[in-house]
Amino acid sequence: MTTYTLKIIRIKQETPNVVTLSFKQPALKKIKYLAGQYLTLIFRINGRRYIRPYSFSSAPGIDELLEITVKRVPNGIVSNHIVDMVKVNDSIEVMEPMGDFIFQNNETLTDVYLWGVGSGITPLFSLIKYILWSNTFLKVHLMYGSKNYENTIFKNQIEHLLSIYSDRFILQHFHTEVYVGDKNPDVIEGRIDQVKALKMLSENPVIGKSSHYICGPLGLKESVKQALDHSGVVKSLIFSEDFELIKNPADFVDIQSQTVRLNFQNQEYNLEVVKGKSILEAALDTNIELPYSCQTGNCSTCKGKIVEGKTRMIGLVKERTDLQETETLLCCTYPLTENIIITI
Ligand SMILES: Cc1cc2nc3c(=O)[nH]c(=O)nc-3n(C[C@H](O)[C@H](O)[C@H](O)COP(=O)(O)OP(=O)(O)OC[C@H]3O[C@@H](n4cnc5c(N)ncnc54)[C@H](O)[C@@H]3O)c2cc1C
Ligand code: FES
């Protein structure tokens, strides 16, 4: 795992609960990334190591600095640490950029839609800048859900882009909290739901020639995907990014608390994995510093090999057809039987 140390040279308060950290590129080996990818930050907080991915809000070729934008999650360890404690001139260890939520160009496309809510705007903002800059003909539509204007991340930067690309950048705000002074034709009141998404899509006569990038809570993803299905947009033109692993309690019915034998860096551990915790979570809780990043079954950093016993992967955000039968992603792996042995 390649890591770099980056220095923070600017911190910008975007909204009351959101900050953007700007990092200087390393002097010798510049970090290369694609719009829509993420940077994984490594922290030590109260003696324990925490690793969290944050999408780039900067875009390669356009923004000189590497930027990520972080929203405070209630009781979240790292997001609160970043928003409250991190300072200009701090050095932060990061992994090399990862992620497949990137722009897939296609000659038949006329329009690109980006659907985002809250901090989900982060990779979308990087993609918007990149698509507008690298193409001269594509129409870019941003469907953006926020609480209100005060909590709209990148409000001014988005307006700036609108003034530059007024002929092909189209913005629609959705606010769940509309004040009298905020009332304006650019704002639709309420969440982005299936009905509202269908209405927006029906306004475009060539919707079959559009691709779609979705980032936000599960409800947004499901509503937009259903609306796209009804509008005849094929699945291969729909892309989504998930910030969080969604666990369905029904998948856990036959999962048992078990002791799992883990071989890591030539050491053997007997790990108590209580029902509901993944093998990665159980290892981290006992301070075994396994490698990981996304915790959503997407990046493979936590890949291990099952030597004995049976396990199940639960909550993978995307289907993984690239894993061999004995391979498993420990962030999503739960014990099914006794006598499990895993190496990583
Ligand atoms: C690929 C990827 C890209 C990401 N990009 C961004 C980004 O650009 N900006 C950003 O702010 N975050 C982003 N995240 C989320 C981020 O990595 C952390 O998960 C988030 O900051 C919470 O970490 P924490 O340590 O504060 O919370 P934890 O201490 O890990 O969790 C505390 C509680 O919050 C819940 N929780 C965890 N994550 C979220 C979440 N995202 N929303 C709501 N509840 C949550 C947990 O279930 C838990 O109950 C991204 C995640 C992924 C997988
Ligand atoms: S940490 Fe990314 S797949 Fe497990």
Side-chain angles (χ1 to χ4, degrees):
M1 181 172 66
T2 311
T3 63
Y4 305 81
T5 302
L6 296 180
K7 193 167 176 179
I8 299 179
I9 58 166
R10 191 171 66 205
I11 299 181
K12 183 175 177 219
Q13 193 80 38
E14 301 283 355
T15 74
N17 285 314
V18 178
V19 295
T20 293
L21 307 185
S22 305
F23 299 98
K24 200 174 162 196
Q25 279 276 15
L28 289 179
K29 199 167 174 249
K30 300 259 181 287
I31 295 185
K32 290 196 180 130
Y33 68 103
L34 300 171
Q37 285 194 307
Y38 58 85
L39 192 65
T40 306
L41 275 60
I42 306 172
F43 287 95
R44 260 194 204 275
I45 303 171
N46 297 329
R48 182 169 158 176
R49 189 194 62 167
Y50 294 93
I51 303 181
R52 297 287 184 274
Y54 291 99
S55 303
F56 285 101
S57 47
S58 54
I62 302 161
D63 298 305
E64 196 187 324
L65 301 174
L66 300 167
E67 296 191 320
I68 57 156
T69 301
V70 180
K71 181 173 183 185
R72 190 193 292 281
V73 164
N75 303 317
I77 293 165
V78 175
S79 59
N80 285 281
H81 177 80
I82 293 175
V83 175
D84 296 331
M85 309 301 288
V86 162
K87 303 181 299 303
V88 169
N89 288 330
D90 281 359
S91 290
I92 296 185
E93 192 183 359
V94 304
M95 293 183 196
E96 56 192 339
M98 286 184 265
D100 54 6
F101 188 58
I102 55 176
F103 180 50
Q104 309 284 347
N105 211 346
N106 170 339
E107 281 168 12
T108 63
L109 288 182
T110 56
D111 296 65
V112 181
Y113 283 72
L114 301 107
W115 304 82
V117 167
S119 57
I121 188 66
T122 307
L124 304 182
F125 189 51
S126 175
L127 285 164
I128 290 168
K129 288 187 276 187
Y130 176 73
I131 300 167
L132 286 170
W133 172 77
S134 60
N135 287 273
T136 49
F137 59 92
L138 278 175
K139 280 197 176 152
V140 176
H141 306 249
L142 173 60
M143 303 290 147
Y144 184 14
S146 311
K147 193 172 168 195
N148 50 35
Y149 272 134
E150 194 198 2
N151 288 283
T152 301
I153 308 169
F154 309 133
K155 180 174 172 288
N156 294 337
Q157 294 99 305
I158 288 170
E159 271 165 21
H160 180 61
L161 286 179
L162 275 174
S163 69
I164 303 175
Y165 299 101
S166 54
D167 54 334
R168 57 193 186 93
F169 181 33
I170 299 120
L171 166 69
Q172 181 60 66
H173 283 294
F174 295 80
H175 287 179
T176 48
E177 201 178 89
V178 180
Y179 300 119
V180 180
D182 276 354
K183 282 228 184 262
N184 123 18
D186 290 343
V187 178
I188 293 180
E189 209 169 328
R191 289 179 201 286
I192 304 176
D193 57 21
Q194 194 184 336
V195 174
K196 293 193 192 86
L198 264 173
K199 183 164 180 304
M200 303 310 302
L201 296 169
S202 68
E203 286 166 8
N204 188 341
V206 285
I207 201 66
K209 291 184 175 180
S210 59
S211 64
H212 297 260
Y213 294 79
I214 313 167
C215 188
L218 185 65
L220 171 83
K221 193 167 85 171
E222 285 181 345
S223 310
V224 174
K225 284 193 170 171
Q226 280 162 5
L228 291 171
D229 189 34
H230 276 85
S231 307
V233 177
V234 293
K235 283 198 171 62
S236 59
L237 292 175
I238 307 171
F239 309 93
S240 57
E241 181 75 303
D242 295 87
F243 283 1
E244 221 193 333
L245 187 117
I246 307 295
K247 296 178 185 173
N248 177 359
D251 292 333
F252 286 84
V253 175
D254 50 354
I255 299 294
Q256 304 295 327
S257 296
Q258 295 287 358
T259 306
V260 170
R261 188 146 23 115
L262 183 71
N263 298 314
F264 173 55
Q265 293 181 334
N266 300 323
Q267 288 225 45
E268 205 173 279
Y269 302 91
N270 281 323
L271 203 61
E272 298 302 328
V273 186
V274 293
K275 183 170 176 163
K277 287 221 172 191
S278 68
I279 292 178
L280 175 71
E281 284 172 301
L284 298 178
D285 283 349
T286 38
N287 266 330
I288 305 170
E289 297 195 339
L290 296 186
Y292 68 101
S293 170
C294 71
Q295 293 193 70
T296 57
N298 205 26
C299 73
S300 301
T301 313
C302 66
K303 190 158 74 181
K305 193 170 170 195
I306 303 164
V307 180
E308 228 176 281
K310 279 211 165 93
T311 60
R312 177 184 294 148
M313 285 200 282
I314 296 177
L316 290 182
V317 294
K318 281 175 201 150
E319 199 191 343
R320 295 288 303 257
T321 49
D322 55 320
L323 298 173
Q324 305 204 342
E325 213 178 310
T326 54
E327 287 178 339
T328 193
L329 302 169
L330 298 183
C331 63
C332 302
T333 301
Y334 299 84
L336 269 179
T337 61
E338 294 179 338
N339 302 325
I340 293 169
I341 305 176
I342 289 181
T343 58
I344 179 165

